[in-house]
């Protein structure tokens, strides 16, 4: 589990660093097309909440 957490932190740091060093850029999502930093963070948040509800980590009726 700790290895997975470390890898997650590494990927999040790389994601943030990329957008900090490339202000105003977009990256292509295969389903939604070009997304900005704000759009990517919104999508990733929604994705994390969905799976947290799916696996019973948070109450399905909660909105986060």
């Amino acid at each position: 589990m700790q290895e997975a957490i470390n890898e997650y932190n590494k990927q999040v740091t790389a994601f943030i660093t990329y957008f900090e060093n490339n202000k105003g850029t977009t990256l292509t999502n295969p389903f939604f097309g070009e997304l900005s930093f704000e759009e990517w963070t919104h999508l990733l948040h929604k994705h994390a909440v969905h799976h947290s509800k799916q696996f019973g980590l948070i109450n399905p009726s909660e909105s986060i």
Side-chain angles (χ1 to χ4, degrees):
M1 181 59 110
Q2 190 58 51
E3 184 178 340
I5 291 169
N6 292 342
E7 181 60 24
Y8 172 80
N9 287 333
K10 179 179 160 187
Q11 293 298 320
V12 168
T13 299
F15 170 80
I16 292 169
T17 300
Y18 176 82
F19 279 102
E20 284 177 345
N21 292 333
N22 298 279
K23 300 274 187 211
T25 194
T26 60
L27 292 174
T28 305
N29 176 285
F31 295 103
F32 302 112
E34 294 296 314
L35 299 177
S36 67
F37 175 78
E38 292 77 17
E39 292 165 328
W40 271 107
T41 55
H42 185 75
L43 175 64
L44 294 171
H45 171 79
K46 292 283 192 179
H47 189 91
V49 169
H50 165 75
H51 285 298
S52 294
K53 288 178 180 180
Q54 179 184 18
F55 296 115
L57 301 173
I58 60 176
N59 185 328
S61 63
E62 288 183 54
S63 4
I64 298 176

